[in-house]
Amino acid sequence: MKGVISKALGDYVKARRLSRKLDIKTVAEHSGFHESYWRKLEAGHYAAPDPKHLRVIAETISCPLADLYSLCDYTVPKELPSLGPYLRTTTNLSDADIVAMEQIFRSMATNDDDRRAS
């Protein structure tokens, strides 16, 4: 099974890279991963890359992260993370701004619950 997973992952990554007209040198520079990492990945040497690497790979080759997770047989969460962790991973907001946004959304949810009860 491991060989099948790594081959499928490698084939997908390579096809996606080529469809974007990106060479190995370009994806290596953009991702920060060495060219040899990309060659090994595409050759099927990695069946289960670190999930943090998968995020960078997905961004580099413009593909859904969930596609890479499923190709590695990782569980893809069905629900979104809570607001704070989501904002920390997807934005450059400061911790203070994130805390403020969490408070605003909690307040909005409380007000919405009050309106429904009326």
Side-chain angles (χ1 to χ4, degrees), residues 82-89 91-108:
S82 60
L83 184 62
Y86 177 79
L87 292 174
R88 282 181 179 81
T89 59
T91 70
N92 291 322
L93 293 171
S94 70
D95 283 339
D97 288 341
I98 291 171
V99 168
M101 290 184 76
E102 287 176 311
Q103 290 171 343
I104 291 167
F105 283 114
R106 271 194 300 275
S107 173
M108 290 171 63

Side-chain angles (χ1 to χ4, degrees), residues 40-54:
K40 288 178 182 178
L41 176 69
E42 291 181 2
H45 290 266
Y46 305 121
D50 185 309
K52 292 178 186 174
H53 291 178
L54 292 178

Side-chain angles (χ1 to χ4, degrees), residues 35-97:
E35 289 179 33
S36 64
Y37 178 86
W38 282 91
R39 283 189 178 80
K40 288 178 182 178
L41 176 69
E42 291 181 2
H45 290 266
Y46 305 121
D50 185 309
K52 292 178 186 174
H53 291 178
L54 292 178
R55 178 176 300 284
V56 174
I57 293 164
E59 290 171 359
T60 302
I61 62 173
S62 301
C63 75
L65 180 58
D67 287 1
L68 298 181
Y69 268 47
S70 66
L71 286 165
C72 292
D73 206 23
Y74 292 153
T75 302
V76 179
K78 294 196 189 285
E79 70 271 348
L80 291 173
S82 60
L83 184 62
Y86 177 79
L87 292 174
R88 282 181 179 81
T89 59
T90 60
T91 70
N92 291 322
L93 293 171
S94 70
D95 283 339
D97 288 341

